[in-house]
Amino acid sequence: MWDYDPRDIDYFARVLNSVHPAPDVLLFQEGQVGRAFYDMSVGRAGSDLRQLAKLVGYPHNHETVISISHMSADKDLSMAIMSKLPFEQTWARRIPDPDLPLTLQGNPVDPLVRYTQSAKVAGITVVNAFPIPLGVLGHSYETGGGVQHAADVVETLRSTAQGPQVVGGDINTPRPDLVYTEHFDRMGLSPVLEPGTKTVPGWDGSPDQMYSTPEFTVVDSLVVPTNTDHHLVLTDLAVNDPALLDALSRARQMHP
């Protein structure tokens, strides 16, 4: 029901271009890339998110191909971090497959390949998280083996944790606060959105969340309704650390 056919990249660009001021960094999950994405002779024109990055004017795009697409048989899914400011470093870590038998509508399925991404921008590590949807695959992150897989997700995030951090994404569990609060407290991460904030239309779940370390204070956050299966989450963070604020200011001056 949420396949966009044809892919209306212009719609996403219009929504993002309506946001003022434009965010420094954008996080995306569930882009699509054609299989020709891997053929360097044709470049990367088959990437929805690379096309979108050009339309919205984000010159720095860290994209990671993850698993086969559930929407188009000839495409794969991807996730991306886009930035107005240059990346100092980018990396991606594969989340271990869950040690659980996975089923979809009663049929066994292979684990979905998923990653966390990180990019350092002006001394700030921005992390894009997109674990597998255990609830769709016969399990829950809140009980049994799902609890262990949540711990694996956290360890993958921790492996990319460096200094001041902002973490966001589709956490793919209806109550991230119940699953991850204890883990994230130990990492110094606090939620930006109030627990239970609705980010998905027609579902009593709150899978989309953002977190930040103590170097940041939440100025404002809101959910913008969009014609998609997950709405747009916007967060405005103030930088508390003087040295970090100075680095960010210099980066903005060099790359207006």
Side-chain angles (χ1 to χ4, degrees):
M1 64 182 293
W2 292 109
D3 194 3
Y4 308 99
D5 187 16
R7 304 290 283 177
D8 191 358
I9 305 301
D10 287 340
Y11 169 75
F12 294 93
R14 288 195 301 274
V15 171
L16 292 168
N17 283 329
S18 71
V19 177
H20 299 289
D24 291 308
V25 178
L26 300 173
L27 306 180
F28 292 92
Q29 304 83 38
E30 286 193 358
Q32 287 198 130
V33 297
R35 295 286 156 76
F37 186 92
Y38 301 103
D39 185 349
M40 298 310 292
S41 66
V42 297
R44 296 178 181 264
S47 163
D48 289 346
L49 294 179
R50 286 180 180 266
Q51 182 181 347
L52 182 60
K54 292 180 180 179
L55 291 175
V56 295
Y58 282 74
H60 309 284
N61 183 12
H62 172 37
E63 184 170 21
T64 302
V65 178
I66 50 177
S67 57
I68 60 173
S69 175
H70 55 283
M71 296 180 285
S72 305
D74 61 340
K75 296 181 183 293
D76 289 331
L77 294 180
S78 69
M79 56 194 297
I81 302 173
M82 297 181 193
S83 177
K84 292 281 190 182
L85 302 174
F87 297 133
E88 298 168 15
Q89 184 181 2
T90 61
W91 56 102
R93 298 283 189 274
R94 179 171 175 173
I95 299 172
D97 295 336
D99 187 18
L100 295 166
L102 305 180
T103 60
L104 182 61
Q105 299 178 342
N107 299 312
V109 294
D110 294 329
L112 304 176
V113 176
R114 290 294 165 91
Y115 284 78
T116 64
Q117 290 181 300
S118 300
K120 185 170 284 189
V121 181
I124 300 167
T125 298
V126 181
V127 182
N128 191 13
F130 189 37
I132 70 169
L134 277 185
V136 179
L137 302 174
H139 299 277
S140 168
Y141 278 102
E142 298 176 21
T143 60
V147 175
Q148 178 56 52
H149 187 58
D152 293 339
V153 172
V154 171
E155 285 306 309
T156 308
L157 287 169
R158 196 189 305 274
S159 73
T160 64
Q162 295 184 8
Q165 299 164 61
V166 177
V167 178
D170 175 5
I171 312 299
N172 259 328
T173 183
R175 293 174 289 271
D177 53 311
L178 294 182
V179 176
Y180 290 106
T181 295
E182 184 177 341
H183 293 292
F184 286 173
D185 281 350
R186 289 197 294 266
M187 295 173 66
L189 291 167
S190 300
V192 170
L193 295 179
E194 288 293 325
T197 300
K198 302 305 178 188
T199 63
V200 176
W203 185 52
D204 186 25
S206 308
D208 307 288
Q209 182 56 277
M210 301 192 73
Y211 303 85
S212 63
T213 50
E215 290 85 359
F216 305 93
T217 297
V218 179
V219 176
D220 193 16
S221 60
L222 68 156
V223 177
V224 178
T226 52
N227 185 29
T228 54
D229 63 330
H230 291 246
H231 293 319
L232 175 64
V233 176
L234 295 172
T235 298
D236 184 9
L237 298 173
V239 180
N240 301 325
D241 181 90
L244 190 63
L245 183 60
D246 184 58
L248 182 59
S249 298
R250 288 198 307 272
R252 285 175 170 161
Q253 290 170 5
M254 293 174 62
H255 305 276

